[in-house]
Amino acid sequence: MPIYAYRCESCGFSKDVLQKVSDAPLTDCPECSKSTFRKQLTAAGFQLKGTGWYVTDFRNGSGGTSKPATTSTTDSGAKTDSGTATAAPAAAPAPAPSAG
């Protein structure tokens, strides 16, 4: 059974109530007895336990979870990804002169 949060619009009294989904909402405030007791919109309170789908699942095409890549810098200042240096692309060699 879900727990619903209620709050009185007149006196500000609030209370969490365990109710069935099919139960009618409460309307009378237990504190001031006015008919201004309303359900509040609250975040769902549940936890996912065990194995399941995570952000890292199947990211690299593997079937299991993978570690996130770590980024660091080398002595030359180039960023590395998991320890592999990424250097700037080398300039293309000049074309050989044609004999003609």
Side-chain angles (χ1 to χ4, degrees):
M1 281 194 290
I3 299 174
Y4 294 103
Y6 282 86
R7 185 169 190 277
C8 180
E9 294 175 353
S10 296
C11 68
F13 176 75
S14 60
K15 183 178 181 179
D16 292 341
V17 180
L18 181 67
Q19 286 184 298
K20 292 181 182 178
V21 175
S22 60
D23 286 349
L26 302 177
T27 56
D28 296 332
C29 176
E31 194 71 18
C32 68
S33 301
K34 292 186 180 177
S35 296
T36 55
F37 209 45
R38 304 282 185 257
K39 270 188 195 180
Q40 300 293 299
L41 181 63
T42 58
F46 69 92
Q47 292 180 343
L48 299 175
K49 294 185 177 183
T51 60
W53 291 83
Y54 295 94
V55 155
T56 56
D57 284 352
F58 305 109
R59 177 176 282 173
N60 297 328
S62 62
T65 59
S66 62
K67 290 188 205 176
T70 57
T71 304
S72 63
T73 51
T74 61
D75 294 337
S76 65
K79 284 192 171 190
T80 61
D81 186 18
S82 300
T84 307
T86 55
S98 61

